[in-house]
């Protein structure tokens, strides 16, 4: 059977599983893994094996670039303490805690003791399962309108900790095979690999963005984003640097500089659509391959060790998340405590962990056991946490039990777009732009009718006044804060404000944006309190 036919079968399976997942209301990625397990058991066709070259050449660059391309650099900087804390020192601590907890718990398992496993080998295991792959969690959060900041934290952390985990995996692997490595050399090597990747990503992202600014051809601009994605990754890997970090930086620059400065609105829409489909296709294939690669009989033979490994990685992530939450509790970047457990439960492992395990040298001690342990951990996190993250988040109050009707957002945006059209036509009239008056009148009438239709549909929606007020307050306050920040940036460029005052005011605005995402109810209560106090004073 030729590879093209196999790929066609995989896409057909992915499409059918998407329909089934939608009917059963289960996460799409969970359905893909279960479907892959079933196809692997039935052996209906020979599927490609999920290998290191396949993941690093085809899947990872596209997935990493697409996520980074849509990330806001300003939001990333605003939450830098939490994100970089979880992605760098947090990953290292998670690896070490995982290794020690696993070695400790495994000693109490009958007939399956791994007391003789060296610490270096356990650290390699910890590094292999350190990187989170929360694709399904992010999809659930977006669907259920979870706080934007929480979704952003989960997605951005996973982007950066992929690169960190790969670097530490390589370094710990060198220690496990007996190469002499000191703490200072380990630190220098880590900084060199990450720094080199970031530098190459900057070069690729900037060059691609500059070309995009100078051309006006959608196909060419899409092509240069592909070159930035895959070129930055492959060149960094060839030179011994972090390909993931390189592609993350290239994606951030292309999305926040190249797209905004060099792409027309129509081209930007085309580029977004292209990368969204690439992300869907790659995710569909990779999770199917995850299911096809796992062999359940091998896992069942050592299931107590798999459970011990799963407990170890869960406890390790819990230690990291709660420690980081405590450190940030007195800063502007603090998070609600209810978010901590959701972040722990959102630490799903995926294809990267499996491929790192498969890349172990053939004569590496405990190789087969480590591969099965990593595969088992990936399967448990996807099934247990992927299926339960939504009810857990609801129980903790992170996902609101009250949802505005789906049509509310649609009609409100239609109203906004219609009013923007009317305002633009009025501006053109005032500027004396030449045009047939009848054409301008016809367009004005069209947008006025659109506006009236949207208002009429909004008025007919059954929405509680409290929910409507909360949604509008959040939207409008976020918009005003964003406008204030843009005006502040303009004032800084025009030398109307000093650096120190600029930093203070920027920090205040960022704190306000974080509070909108983190504690909207408390913010509303605090802002309305003065009015309530004045009312109470006026009462006899």
């Amino acid at each position: 059977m030729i590879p093209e036919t196999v790929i066609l079968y995989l896409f057909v399976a992915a499409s059918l599983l998407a329909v089934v997942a939608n009917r059963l209301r289960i996460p799409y990625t969970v359905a893909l893994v279960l479907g892959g397990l079933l196809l692997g058991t039935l052996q209906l066709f020979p599927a490609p094996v999920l290998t290191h070259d396949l993941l690093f050449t085809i899947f990872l660059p596209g997935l990493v670039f697409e996520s980074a391309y849509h990330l806001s650099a300003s939001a990333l900087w605003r939450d830098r303490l939490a994100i970089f804390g979880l992605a760098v020192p947090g990953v290292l601590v998670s690896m070490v805690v995982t290794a020690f907890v696993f070695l400790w718990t495994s000693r109490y398992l009958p007939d399956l003791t791994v007391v003789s496993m060296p610490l270096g080998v356990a650290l390699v295991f910890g590094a292999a399962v350190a990187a989170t792959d929360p694709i399904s969690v992010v999809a659930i959060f977006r669907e259920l309108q979870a706080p934007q900041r929480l979704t952003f934290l989960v997605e951005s952390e996973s982007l950066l900790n992929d690169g960190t985990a790969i670097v530490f995996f390589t370094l710990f692997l060198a220690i496990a095979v007996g190469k002499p490595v000191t703490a200072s050399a380990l630190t220098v090597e880590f900084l060199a690999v990450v720094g080199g990747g970031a530098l190459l990503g900057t070069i690729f992202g900037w060059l691609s963005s500059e070309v995009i600014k100078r051309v006006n051809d959608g196909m060419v601009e899409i092509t240069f984003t592909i070159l930035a994605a895959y070129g930055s990754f492959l060149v960094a890997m060839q030179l011994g640097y972090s390909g993931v970090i390189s592609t993350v930086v290239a994606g951030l620059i292309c999305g926040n500089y190249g797209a905004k400065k060099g792409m027309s609105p129509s081209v930007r829409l085309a580029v977004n659509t292209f990368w969204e489909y690439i992300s869907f296709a790659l995710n569909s294939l990779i999770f199917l391959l995850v299911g096809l690669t796992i062999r359940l009989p091998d896992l069942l033979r050592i299931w107590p060790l798999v459970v011990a490994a799963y407990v170890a990685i869960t406890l390790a992530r819990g230690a990291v998340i709660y420690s980081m939450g405590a450190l940030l509790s007195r800063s502007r970047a603090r998070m609600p405590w209810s978010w901590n457990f959701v972040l722990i439960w959102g630490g799903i492992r995926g294809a990267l962990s499996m491929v790192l395990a498969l890349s172990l040298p053939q004569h590496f001690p405990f190789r087969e056991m480590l591969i099965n342990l990593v595969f088992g951990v990936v399967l448990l996190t996807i099934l247990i946490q992927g299926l339960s993250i939504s009810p857990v988040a609801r129980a903790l109050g992170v996902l609101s039990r009250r949802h505005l009707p789906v049509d509310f957002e649609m009609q409100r945006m239609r109203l906004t777009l219609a009013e923007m059209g009317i305002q633009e036509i009025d501006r053109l009239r005032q500027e004396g732009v030449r045009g047939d008056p009848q054409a301008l009148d016809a367009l004005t009438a069209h947008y006025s009718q659109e506006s009236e239709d949207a208002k009429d549909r909004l008025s007919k929606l059954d929405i509680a006044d409290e929910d409507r007020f909360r949604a509008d307050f959040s939207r409008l306050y976020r918009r005003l804060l964003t406008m204030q920040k843009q005006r502040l940036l303009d004032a800084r460029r025009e030398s109307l404000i000093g650096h120190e005052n600029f930093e203070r005011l920027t920090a205040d605005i960022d704190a306000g944006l974080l509070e909108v995402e983190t504690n909207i109810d408390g913010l509303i209560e605090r802002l309305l309190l003065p009015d309530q106090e004045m009312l109470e004073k006026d009462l006899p």
Side-chain angles (χ1 to χ4, degrees):
M1 188 177 295
I2 60 174
E4 291 83 356
T5 307
V6 173
I7 294 174
L8 177 62
Y9 286 164
L10 290 176
F11 273 116
V12 170
S15 302
L16 294 176
L17 288 169
V19 175
V20 173
N22 186 50
R23 293 286 180 88
L24 299 180
R25 297 187 177 277
I26 62 174
Y28 178 45
T29 50
V30 175
L32 287 171
V33 172
L34 292 175
L37 286 171
L38 179 61
L39 291 174
T41 302
L42 298 176
Q43 296 183 349
L44 298 178
F45 55 86
V49 178
L50 187 61
T51 63
H52 182 277
D53 290 340
L54 187 63
L55 181 72
F56 278 65
T57 304
I58 303 298
F59 291 103
L60 208 53
L63 291 173
V64 169
F65 183 87
E66 189 274 336
S67 294
Y69 181 84
H70 291 101
L71 283 183
S72 167
S74 60
L76 189 66
W77 180 252
R78 189 173 67 229
D79 253 328
R80 60 191 180 278
L81 292 177
I83 293 169
F84 287 96
L86 291 173
V88 183
V91 168
L92 179 59
V93 171
S94 178
M95 294 173 186
V96 175
V97 173
T98 297
F100 278 99
V101 172
F102 173 65
L103 287 179
W104 179 76
T105 54
S106 62
R107 294 175 181 176
Y108 299 95
L109 300 176
D111 302 325
L112 286 169
T113 180
V114 289
V115 176
S116 59
M117 179 183 286
L119 177 60
V121 176
L123 287 172
V124 170
F125 167 73
V129 294
T132 58
D133 188 8
I135 297 169
S136 59
V137 178
V138 172
I140 294 170
F141 283 1
R142 287 174 176 169
E143 180 183 352
L144 298 179
Q145 301 177 358
Q148 291 183 7
R149 186 191 174 203
L150 178 59
T151 305
F152 181 80
L153 284 174
V154 172
E155 188 170 17
S156 54
E157 179 215 347
S158 71
L159 272 179
L160 295 177
N161 69 23
D162 279 358
T164 307
I166 293 171
V167 173
F168 277 118
F169 177 83
T170 305
L171 298 177
F172 286 150
L173 186 59
I175 295 175
V177 297
K179 293 182 180 179
V181 179
T182 63
S184 58
L186 197 70
T187 303
V188 171
E189 180 71 11
F190 174 79
L191 293 176
V193 171
V194 172
L199 178 60
L200 282 173
T202 301
I203 294 172
F204 272 88
W206 180 78
L207 288 176
S208 299
S209 297
E210 288 301 314
V211 173
I212 288 170
K213 286 171 60 179
R214 287 165 173 77
V215 298
N216 189 25
D217 188 319
M219 296 299 102
V220 174
E221 294 176 56
I222 290 175
T223 301
F224 270 92
T225 61
I226 297 174
L227 291 174
Y230 286 86
S232 60
F233 191 96
L234 297 177
V235 171
M237 293 295 292
Q238 287 291 328
L239 297 178
Y241 299 127
S242 173
V244 173
I245 297 298
S246 180
T247 304
V248 166
V249 174
L252 284 170
I253 293 175
C254 287
N256 290 271
Y257 174 63
K260 293 181 179 179
K261 300 293 184 181
M263 293 182 187
S264 65
S266 59
V267 171
R268 194 182 308 174
L269 178 61
V271 173
N272 289 346
T273 303
F274 170 80
W275 280 107
E276 285 174 4
Y277 175 73
I278 291 296
S279 175
F280 166 77
L282 294 180
N283 277 325
S284 299
L285 291 178
I286 200 169
F287 277 97
L288 266 178
L289 291 177
V290 166
L292 285 163
T293 306
I294 293 174
R295 295 290 178 262
L296 285 178
D298 295 337
L299 303 185
L300 292 175
R301 281 197 293 268
I302 58 168
W303 69 265
L305 273 182
V306 171
V307 173
Y310 175 73
V311 170
I313 66 118
T314 306
L315 291 176
R317 182 161 177 84
V320 169
I321 295 295
Y322 277 106
S323 298
M324 187 59 61
L327 290 174
L328 297 175
S329 61
R330 298 183 181 277
S331 70
R332 294 177 182 270
R334 61 186 178 274
M335 300 178 292
W337 282 102
S338 60
W339 285 17
N340 290 329
F341 190 80
V342 176
L343 287 172
I344 295 170
W345 215 238
I348 293 175
R349 274 58 172 181
L352 178 62
S353 296
M354 296 173 60
V355 168
L356 289 178
L358 289 171
S359 68
L360 290 171
Q362 288 296 326
H363 300 292
F364 188 79
F366 300 94
R367 182 179 187 272
E368 291 303 318
M369 178 179 290
L370 289 181
I371 290 175
N372 287 326
L373 287 176
V374 171
F375 282 22
V377 165
V378 169
L379 183 60
L380 287 180
T381 59
I382 290 175
L383 296 183
I384 296 175
Q385 294 166 215
L387 288 172
S388 62
I389 185 69
S390 178
V392 166
R394 286 185 185 279
L396 294 173
V398 175
L399 300 181
S400 176
R401 297 179 181 276
R402 300 172 303 174
H403 292 295
L404 295 174
V406 175
D407 200 35
F408 177 77
E409 183 178 350
M410 171 69 75
Q411 299 307 326
R412 190 173 63 185
M413 183 53 64
R414 285 186 59 201
L415 177 61
T416 300
L417 294 175
E419 292 176 347
M420 286 177 58
I422 294 172
Q423 292 173 4
E424 181 63 16
I425 293 172
D426 290 341
R427 185 184 66 82
L428 293 175
R429 290 182 191 273
Q430 294 173 3
E431 293 179 357
V433 176
R434 293 182 179 180
D436 190 328
Q438 290 185 343
L440 294 175
D441 291 341
L443 288 171
T444 300
H446 168 70
Y447 283 117
S448 297
Q449 186 61 47
E450 285 278 322
S451 176
E452 292 300 321
D453 290 344
K455 289 179 182 178
D456 182 59
R457 293 183 182 181
L458 282 172
S459 65
K460 295 178 180 178
L461 293 177
D462 184 19
I463 304 174
D465 292 340
E466 180 183 355
D467 292 343
R468 187 188 296 271
F469 170 80
R470 189 175 183 275
D472 284 342
F473 180 91
S474 174
R475 173 178 60 89
L476 294 172
Y477 191 43
R478 188 186 300 111
R479 180 177 179 179
L480 292 172
L481 289 173
T482 303
M483 292 173 60
Q484 288 177 352
K485 189 169 185 177
Q486 183 59 53
R487 181 65 188 97
L488 195 59
L489 291 170
D490 294 339
R492 182 74 181 100
R493 282 194 293 267
E494 297 168 6
S495 300
L496 298 178
I497 186 173
H499 177 73
E500 184 177 350
N501 289 330
F502 170 78
E503 291 293 334
R504 287 183 178 179
L505 291 173
T506 300
D508 290 339
I509 293 174
D510 286 344
L513 288 168
L514 290 179
E515 192 170 12
V516 171
E517 299 297 337
T518 304
N519 187 26
I520 184 64
D521 292 326
L523 177 63
I524 293 174
E525 183 179 351
R526 178 167 56 81
L527 292 179
L528 291 180
L529 188 60
D531 294 337
Q532 294 176 352
E533 291 178 346
M534 291 295 296
L535 180 62
E536 291 175 357
K537 289 181 180 179
D538 293 339
L539 293 175

